[in-house]
Amino acid sequence: MKTIVIAGAHSNVGKTTMAERLLKKLPGWSALKVTVSHQGRGPKKEKCPRNKGCRACTSFKGDFDVVTDRRIINRKGKDTARLKRAGAKKVVWLRSTLKGLKAGLKMSIRELRDSEGLVIEGNSVLEHLKPDITIYIKGRRHRLKRSAKAVQKKADIIIDSKPDIYPSRHN
């Protein structure tokens, strides 16, 4: 199956918007949204980078959770609902720890195997997958996370997220 990974410098840089634009042009393709847990993990016990209190990173048991429930996927205001509305044949949301990411990806991709292709939103997946195309969206922040620097090096296409060049959400 053909795969396109959309990665980015930080949250709210335009990854979901780019995925929406691609899905509108790729009939029969599905989408995989990947959320890797940050809360209480790592050497510094990082807290959620978005400080949203959404519990997406902590509300699952084990090392990963593959979400296919339409009520969750289609929840208003969520990225998964945006991907579905954009035309994705099917949308799966993988919530994972770093430890469970490889196994979670394998199970998630199995759920989407009847698709023409797959648009994957997430940086960490590049540690385990070699997609056909990797699109990296540069951020406006000057200081990049270490993981974002590594991902940028793997990109086939780099897009600047400046508002006059690449409009943000819902455009």
Side-chain angles (χ1 to χ4, degrees):
M1 173 180 355
K2 298 283 185 198
T3 57
I4 299 172
V5 169
I6 302 172
H10 51 77
S11 297
N12 295 318
V13 75
K15 295 182 298 289
T16 303
T17 299
M18 174 56 74
E20 287 174 302
R21 290 177 176 183
L22 289 171
L23 289 164
K24 286 177 183 176
K25 303 288 185 186
L26 297 168
W29 282 53
S30 290
L32 173 59
K33 168 78 176 177
V34 179
T35 303
V36 176
S37 172
H38 294 279
Q39 188 116 12
R41 308 234 188 264
K44 295 182 181 177
K45 300 286 185 198
E46 306 106 33
K47 298 229 187 276
C48 177
R50 298 185 74 191
N51 295 315
K52 287 198 137 194
C54 67
R55 297 187 31 169
C57 294
T58 60
S59 62
F60 61 94
K61 298 192 178 9
D63 290 328
F64 67 88
D65 182 26
V66 177
V67 180
T68 59
D69 184 331
R70 285 188 203 160
R71 292 172 298 183
I72 296 170
I73 297 297
N74 294 325
R75 193 169 287 155
K76 187 177 178 180
K78 297 296 182 184
D79 288 351
T80 52
R82 291 174 57 194
L83 298 170
K84 184 66 179 160
R85 274 195 320 273
K89 179 177 180 178
K90 187 172 181 181
V91 177
V92 169
W93 180 24
L94 171 61
R95 301 180 308 158
S96 176
T97 64
L98 282 173
K99 178 182 171 187
L101 184 58
K102 186 174 183 178
L105 280 168
K106 186 175 181 179
M107 185 177 287
S108 298
I109 291 170
R110 195 176 315 130
E111 285 284 333
L112 300 164
R113 68 182 168 266
D114 64 339
S115 303
E116 293 290 321
L118 184 57
V119 174
I120 303 172
E121 183 186 328
N123 289 5
S124 300
V125 301
L126 292 169
E127 294 175 29
H128 303 290
L129 296 178
K130 293 197 184 295
D132 295 289
I133 298 173
T134 299
I135 300 171
Y136 178 84
I137 303 176
K138 285 173 53 174
R140 292 176 288 280
R141 298 179 189 164
H142 295 289
R143 188 169 178 234
L144 293 180
K145 302 184 298 186
R146 189 174 349 129
S147 62
K149 289 179 185 177
V151 169
Q152 187 174 2
K153 290 178 183 176
K154 295 180 180 184
D156 299 298
I157 300 168
I158 297 176
I159 297 174
D160 195 332
S161 69
K162 291 180 183 173
D164 58 332
I165 296 171
Y166 184 70
S168 63
R169 302 180 95 178
H170 308 293
N171 291 334

